[in-house]
């Protein structure tokens, strides 16, 4: 009895200490993320220009109807989906491949890791301008092609080429972080399992498929979700590389929100587009998590 | 100035969506009254800062006013990409400045601004009536930025055997062919905002001869934008097809296009009066630059009306802490002889009848402005002559670019009409 009565105040104190440490973070999170998202949802059902003297006018689902009825905006959704899906696959393949190459620690690999991470250090705006100078009609590549007597390539002046060029540039600028994630993930692959596979005579591919890949499952999940969400938000590179062109072929949803809807003070429509992006990010994250959970369940049932 | 400030220049806006949207929304959620005050006796003025119109330029400009009145003017650059973007955000956040330079009122911002129509000093300022909204006058300016100018390389013209600038579309098309044969890029353009802007600029005089106040006609459902612009789309598509405009130019940046012209590779370059400042900055060029007004419509008098915007417009926010001081400042900026003189010639600011010290190009532009039979609203329009949509210029550019990527003139006309219908 005595022990219980002594431990109760301590338990309360511990609880109080825990709560006092968590509450500031929760408040900041709610203020900076939850409240704006709630406002975004609210504004998405209104017509509003953002000015204090104007009262938001409730318009129901009009903004969503406009969004899905406009060829312009649905076009940006398609571009965003292509960028997110193709980009995420490319970023993760590139990062994983390089991580496997650079997993051993030696001077060359250390230098290689720094070089590979470097693009991520650059501002996305700088990345866009830099690649404009490389891929533009008067850029380095086309100038060299002309010098050797070959026709120049329409990297940024043809709609299809521009989209794929933009994805390439985004992949180049993003994969550094994923590379670090995969390098960290590879450090956690049990060395004894790798050794056992080697002793059993497994080939490199078999070792990768049976040992390394399953051990990287959680890393892959994080890498795919973070890269996918980054790609859904693609804005800066669009501004500096293509300006959304030619003919709107590289306009992403984020670009449309920030460069079109907000400047036109169409807060309701911009909010509806932002809500769509939030939903898309959530769907992406949940899908990847569900797929991973299912794969783990399948593995356990086999085991 | 507005075309310049909203469309060109730095693109230093790049915060990630996750960060920006919440911040913008927090700003939008703010119930501020838009009455943030500066310190006592201080008037806050937001201006567009550029390479040459920098903080020092503006502080020097307002110094005599400060000395005379004892009021302090705090020069502020936009917090976002431009004043056009920052002012509404600051209004929403309750931190808007007292005086705003470089942008114009619209239906959203007009209720937040002071009507200067009753001020005697405001009435004689350039384009005062053209910018009236109803009977109210929210913006007063220093001069005019002419939009519809075609700069040309006189050496290229000589080599191509062209004796004088064209005044009709047929002549212009023939000249483009001759320039191509002479080894020049006949007409320079670029991607980004410039593709659409140039097409509008070169077509303003003709469009306004064929459809006076066409923006109002569209607003009144008497004309569609597609019908108004289809002949221009047709002509532009023909030029692209004939190789008079480089197909790959749509991937160039406007500054690269400027560079191509100043390097002497180009015959014709459509641009606004602000390009004169870039030419001055470029120093000695390997050729002489000429300027002419674009062709008139068939059977119409040449030159046609000039597309023009009020240059260095100033507006005063309603609810400013020192309305009288703000009005004194704006009066000084748009009427004081020395202040006006200082602003003329900066970034292509011209004024009918003015005779400042100018380069040869400036003198030609001044002549075009003085000879123009009328100054007409450009793009989305201004004052009482406006389209019933916002965001026209970026959409128009997108559609002009579609002519490079396979769309026909009829498709382009249909697309712009569809967009107008969706956004009316």
């Amino acid at each position: 009895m005595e022990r219980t009565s002594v431990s109760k105040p301590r338990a309360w104190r511990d609880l109080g200490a825990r709560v006092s440490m968590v509450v500031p973070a929760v408040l900041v999170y709610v203020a900076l993320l939850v409240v704006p998202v709630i406002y975004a949802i609210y504004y998405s059902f209104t017509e509003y220009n953002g000015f204090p003297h104007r009262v938001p006018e409730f318009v129901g689902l009009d903004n969503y109807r406009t969004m899905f009825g406009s060829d312009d905006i649905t076009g940006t959704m398609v571009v965003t989906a292509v960028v997110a899906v193709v980009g995420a696959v490319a970023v993760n393949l590139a990062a994983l491949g390089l991580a496997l190459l650079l997993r051993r620690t030696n001077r060359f690999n250390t230098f290689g890791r720094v070089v590979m991470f470097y693009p991520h250090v650059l501002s996305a705006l700088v990345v866009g301008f830099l690649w404009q100078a490389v891929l533009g009609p008067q850029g380095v590549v086309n100038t060299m092609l002309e010098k050797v007597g070959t026709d120049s390539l329409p990297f940024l002046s043809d709609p299809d080429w521009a989209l794929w060029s933009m994805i390439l540039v985004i992949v180049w600028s993003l994969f550094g972080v994923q590379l670090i994630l995969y390098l960290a993930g590879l450090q956690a692959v049990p060395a004894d399992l790798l050794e056992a596979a080697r002793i059993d005579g497994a080939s490199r591919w078999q070792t990768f498929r049976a040992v390394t890949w399953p051990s990287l499952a959680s890393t892959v999940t994080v890498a795919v979700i973070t890269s996918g969400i980054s790609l859904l938000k693609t804005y800066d590179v669009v501004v500096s590389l293509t300006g959304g062109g030619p003919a709107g072929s590289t306009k992403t949803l984020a670009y449309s929100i920030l460069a079109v809807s907000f400047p036109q003070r169409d807060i309701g429509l911009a909010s509806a587009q932002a809500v769509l992006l939030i939903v898309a990010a959530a769907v992406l994250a949940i899908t990847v998590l569900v797929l991973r959970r299912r794969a783990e369940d399948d593995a356990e049932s086999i085991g | 100035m507005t075309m310049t400030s909203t469309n060109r220049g730095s693109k230093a806006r790049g915060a990630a969506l996750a960060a920006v949207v919440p911040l913008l929304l927090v700003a939008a959620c703010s119930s501020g009254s838009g009455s943030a005050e500066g310190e006592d006796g201080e008037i806050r003025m937001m201006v567009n800062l550029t390479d040459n119109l920098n903080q020092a330029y503006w502080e020097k400009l307002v110094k005599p006013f400060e000395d005379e009145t004892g009021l302090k003017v705090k020069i502020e650059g936009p917090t976002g990409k431009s004043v056009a973007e920052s002012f509404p955000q600051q209004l929403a956040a309750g931190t808007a400045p007292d005086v705003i330079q470089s942008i114009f009122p619209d239906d959203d911002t007009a209720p937040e601004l002071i009507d200067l129509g009753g001020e005697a000093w405001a009435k004689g300022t350039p384009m005062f009536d053209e910018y009236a909204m109803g009977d109210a006058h929210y913006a007063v300016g220093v001069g005019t930025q002419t939009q519809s100018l075609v700069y040309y390389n006189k050496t290229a013209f000589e080599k191509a055997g062209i004796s004088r600038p064209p005044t009709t579309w047929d002549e212009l098309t023939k000249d483009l062919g001759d320039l191509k044969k002479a080894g020049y890029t006949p007409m320079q353009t670029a991607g980004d905002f410039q593709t659409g802007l140039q097409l509008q600029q070169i077509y303003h005089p003709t469009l306004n001869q064929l459809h006076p106040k066409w923006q109002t006609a569209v607003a009144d459902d008497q004309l569609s934008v597609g019908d108004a612009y289809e002949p221009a789309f047709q002509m532009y598509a023909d030029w692209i097809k004939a190789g008079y405009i480089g197909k790959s130019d749509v991937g160039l940046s406007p500054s690269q296009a400027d560079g191509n012209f100043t390097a002497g590779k180009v015959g014709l370059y459509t641009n606004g009066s602000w390009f004169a400042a870039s030419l001055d900055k470029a120093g000695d060029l390997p050729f002489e630059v000429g300027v002419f007004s674009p062709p008139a419509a068939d059977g119409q008098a040449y030159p046609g009306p000039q597309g023009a915007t009020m240059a260095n417009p100033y507006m005063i926010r309603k609810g400013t802490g020192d309305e009288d001081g703000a009005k004194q400042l704006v009066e000084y900026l748009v009427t004081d002889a020395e202040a006006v003189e200082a602003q003329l010639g900066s970034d292509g600011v011209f004024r009918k009848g003015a005779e400042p010290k100018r380069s040869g190009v400036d003198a030609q532009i001044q002549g075009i402005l003085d000879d123009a039979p009328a100054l007409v609203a450009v793009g989305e329009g201004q004052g009482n002559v406006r389209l019933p949509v916002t965001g026209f210029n970026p959409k128009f550019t997108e559609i002009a670019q579609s002519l490079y990527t396979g769309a026909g003139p009829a498709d382009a006309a249909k697309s712009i009409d569809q967009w107008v219908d969706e956004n009316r």
Side-chain angles (χ1 to χ4, degrees):
Chain A
M1 277 303 269
E2 274 182 31
R3 283 171 70 183
T4 312
S5 60
V6 169
S7 63
K8 260 190 176 176
R10 180 180 288 175
W12 281 111
R13 273 203 306 276
D14 288 349
L15 183 65
R18 282 182 203 144
V19 168
S20 66
M21 282 189 277
V22 169
V23 164
V26 169
L27 287 177
V28 169
Y29 181 81
V30 168
L32 291 182
L33 197 74
V34 177
V35 170
V37 167
I38 290 171
Y39 264 108
I41 295 167
Y42 162 62
Y43 283 134
S44 73
F45 296 111
T46 67
E47 189 190 326
Y48 183 45
N49 64 9
F51 288 173
H53 302 304
R54 169 87 186 271
V55 178
E57 185 190 338
F58 185 75
V59 293
L61 292 171
D62 278 4
N63 289 318
Y64 290 93
R65 282 193 204 100
T66 302
M67 193 166 71
F68 288 106
S70 161
D71 290 346
D72 208 15
I73 302 177
T74 49
T76 66
M77 291 181 202
V78 173
V79 169
T80 308
V82 171
V83 169
V85 173
V86 176
V89 170
V91 162
N92 286 282
L93 282 178
L96 179 58
L98 281 163
L100 289 168
L101 283 173
L102 300 172
R103 66 194 296 187
R104 293 184 200 288
T105 310
N106 57 44
R107 276 188 186 178
F108 175 79
N109 283 357
T110 306
F111 175 73
R113 289 175 187 181
V114 172
V115 170
M116 296 302 166
F117 188 71
Y118 181 68
H120 192 75
V121 176
L122 296 172
S123 149
L125 280 172
V126 174
V127 167
F129 289 126
L130 186 76
W131 279 93
Q132 232 273 349
V134 174
L135 299 177
Q138 295 179 350
V140 177
V141 174
N142 278 322
T143 305
M144 286 170 68
L145 287 173
E146 279 171 24
K147 289 232 159 128
V148 298
T150 314
D151 285 344
S152 57
L153 294 171
F155 292 111
L156 303 179
S157 50
D158 175 88
D160 294 332
W161 280 77
L163 180 59
W164 297 114
S165 300
M166 187 175 83
I167 291 172
L168 172 82
V169 171
I170 295 168
V171 168
W172 180 83
S173 68
L174 276 186
F175 81 89
V177 169
Q178 269 60 36
L179 171 65
I180 299 294
L181 286 175
Y182 284 119
L183 282 170
L186 287 171
Q187 308 295 323
V189 177
D192 52 344
L193 285 181
L194 291 170
E195 185 65 21
R198 207 170 296 133
I199 291 168
D200 288 344
S203 66
R204 282 188 177 182
W205 169 245
Q206 286 169 325
T207 306
F208 174 78
R209 209 181 61 176
V211 179
T212 310
W213 179 250
S215 305
L216 278 177
S218 56
T219 307
V220 172
T221 307
V222 171
V224 169
I225 291 173
T226 53
S227 58
I229 290 173
S230 293
L231 285 151
L232 279 174
K233 296 185 303 184
T234 298
Y235 165 74
D236 320 57
V237 173
V238 183
V239 169
S240 53
L241 184 72
T242 63
S249 57
T250 55
K251 260 192 345 189
T252 60
L253 197 52
Y255 179 87
S256 178
I257 294 170
L258 290 167
V260 181
S261 300
F262 267 118
Q264 287 174 20
R265 282 173 242 136
D266 203 341
I267 303 296
L269 183 62
S271 299
Q273 291 171 288
V275 168
L276 179 70
L277 263 189
I278 292 167
V279 171
V283 168
L284 171 78
I286 291 167
T287 305
V288 175
L289 287 170
V290 166
L291 289 175
R292 187 196 150 193
R293 179 70 53 84
R294 194 174 291 169
E296 282 175 355
D297 290 347
D298 289 348
E300 280 170 16
S301 64
I302 291 167
Chain B
M1 181 67 81
T2 302
M3 269 313 209
T4 324
S5 58
T6 52
N7 289 315
R8 72 171 185 166
S10 80
K11 291 173 174 174
R13 180 172 57 163
L17 181 67
V20 170
V21 167
L23 288 175
L24 287 172
L25 288 166
V26 166
C29 305
S30 161
S31 57
S33 61
S35 59
E37 308 302 344
E39 292 167 19
D40 287 344
E42 184 179 81
I43 300 165
R44 293 172 54 217
M45 180 164 79
M46 181 156 60
V47 300
N48 252 347
L49 296 173
T50 64
D51 288 348
N52 49 336
L53 307 188
N54 53 22
Q55 189 87 17
Y57 162 86
W58 288 105
E59 284 174 0
K60 189 179 168 194
L61 179 67
V62 299
K63 182 79 171 43
F65 171 79
E66 290 178 317
D67 292 344
E68 194 182 324
T69 61
L71 293 166
K72 173 91 181 102
V73 180
K74 187 181 177 198
I75 303 295
E76 297 178 4
T79 47
K81 187 176 79 168
S82 63
V83 175
E85 180 188 283
S86 299
F87 177 55
Q89 286 174 10
Q90 292 190 4
L91 264 179
T95 58
D98 305 302
V99 175
I100 307 98
Q101 180 262 353
S102 84
I103 60 169
F104 304 108
D106 57 31
D107 287 336
D108 285 335
T109 54
E112 317 287 334
L113 301 166
I114 290 176
D115 177 7
L116 300 171
E119 305 296 325
W121 53 267
K123 291 195 171 100
T125 52
M127 303 191 79
F128 183 68
D129 291 330
E130 283 89 340
Y131 278 78
M133 292 179 72
D135 295 326
H137 298 75
Y138 301 104
V140 288
V142 173
T144 302
Q145 271 193 326
T146 35
Q147 302 270 340
S148 300
L149 302 174
V150 186
Y151 296 81
Y152 69 102
N153 178 333
K154 288 191 175 177
T155 309
F157 267 45
E158 278 168 26
K159 286 189 179 170
I162 306 166
S163 56
R164 62 178 180 82
T167 57
T168 67
W169 291 109
D170 286 344
E171 281 177 18
L172 176 61
T173 303
K174 183 182 176 305
D175 290 349
L176 290 170
D178 292 341
L179 286 163
K180 192 180 177 198
K181 279 182 208 151
Y184 288 90
T185 299
M187 180 174 275
Q188 180 68 54
T189 187
D192 207 341
F193 66 88
Q194 201 174 69
T195 328
L197 175 60
Q198 279 189 329
L199 180 53
Q200 287 187 60
Q201 286 173 324
I202 203 166
Y203 200 59
H204 284 144
T206 294
L207 178 58
N208 284 280
Q209 284 174 326
L210 298 175
H211 308 286
K213 296 189 179 176
W214 66 275
Q215 291 97 336
T216 308
V218 172
D220 295 344
D221 276 332
Q222 291 164 354
L223 177 72
S224 83
V225 179
D227 286 345
Y229 266 104
E230 191 167 346
F233 292 146
Q234 181 66 59
M235 186 174 65
Y236 202 65
D238 291 344
W239 289 347
I240 294 170
K241 197 175 170 190
Y244 299 159
I245 298 172
K247 250 191 165 181
S248 64
D249 281 2
V250 77
L252 285 182
S253 70
S255 59
Q256 285 172 316
D258 288 358
N260 286 347
F261 181 74
T262 53
K265 302 173 184 173
V266 171
L268 297 170
Y269 190 38
T270 307
N271 218 320
S273 56
W274 57 84
F275 185 58
S278 303
L279 288 171
D280 282 344
K281 212 171 161 186
D284 289 336
L285 301 178
F287 61 94
E288 197 182 339
V289 179
V291 191
F292 64 88
S293 182
D298 288 344
Q300 299 280 334
Y302 180 87
Q306 260 295 317
T309 47
M310 183 189 283
N312 276 18
Y314 295 95
M315 310 188 300
I316 301 174
R317 177 176 58 80
K318 199 180 273 179
T320 173
D322 184 359
E323 186 175 319
D324 188 50
K327 282 182 180 172
Q328 282 183 57
L329 172 62
V330 173
E331 179 184 358
Y332 163 79
L333 288 164
V334 300
T335 61
D336 181 86
E338 283 182 23
V340 169
E341 175 72 28
Q343 292 172 88
L344 289 179
S346 58
D347 273 13
V349 180
F350 290 79
R351 189 168 174 137
K352 266 200 166 186
E355 290 180 8
K357 291 173 195 166
R358 292 292 172 95
S359 68
V361 171
D362 288 340
Q364 293 180 71
I365 295 172
Q366 183 70 50
I368 289 171
L369 176 63
D370 291 340
D371 292 345
L375 300 179
V376 292
V378 300
E380 219 163 278
Q382 63 214 20
N384 293 318
V385 183
R386 279 176 300 152
L387 289 174
V389 288
T390 53
F392 176 74
N393 288 346
K395 189 64 197 176
F396 187 86
T397 289
E398 205 176 298
I399 285 167
Q401 290 185 354
S402 74
L403 297 170
Y404 288 77
T405 59
D411 301 328
K414 196 176 159 193
S415 295
I416 194 77
D417 281 341
Q418 186 182 339
W419 178 81
V420 171
D421 289 345
E422 280 175 7
N423 291 276
R424 259 181 122 95

